[in-house]
Amino acid sequence: MAKNINSVCFTVLLVVFIMATTEILKSDAAPACFTFLDECGPDPFPGTNVDCTKCCRSTYKGQHVCKGVVEGSENHCHCYQRTKKE
């Protein structure tokens, strides 16, 4: 019984190693939206996250704005862009 468990563990580790080295698990997903771009709109921002996103996209047209979030205790509209692919 122990011999079978060792064989299964070895086989699983071998498959995981092969998948990791051949980059089978590499994702083609879009880059994450974590890079802070700048603030937008009045201070404090009176609108919602949707309004903030609209403000960011209209203000920073050349950038790849992916979201705007009303954050902080004073309600600032923060604009975020996609991180660049490495």
Side-chain angles (χ1 to χ4, degrees):
M1 182 71 176
K3 194 173 190 178
N4 289 340
I5 292 173
N6 285 340
S7 296
V8 169
C9 290
F10 176 76
T11 304
V12 169
L13 287 174
L14 182 64
V15 168
V16 169
F17 176 75
I18 290 171
M19 290 174 72
T21 56
T22 58
E23 297 183 358
I24 291 174
L25 299 177
K26 189 172 183 180
S27 173
D28 290 332
C33 186
F34 296 124
T35 305
F36 178 73
L37 181 61
D38 206 354
E39 291 185 357
C40 184
D43 190 21
F45 192 78
T48 63
N49 287 343
V50 174
D51 299 326
C52 180
T53 301
K54 288 178 185 176
C55 176
C56 293
R57 289 188 175 152
S58 65
T59 304
Y60 305 106
K61 293 180 181 177
Q63 305 292 332
H64 296 287
V65 175
C66 55
K67 70 178 176 181
V69 182
V70 179
E71 297 177 310
S73 59
E74 298 178 9
N75 291 339
H76 297 275
C77 175
H78 293 165
C79 304
Y80 293 90
Q81 66 181 354
R82 297 206 184 279
T83 54
K84 296 176 182 168
K85 281 192 173 183
E86 305 281 330

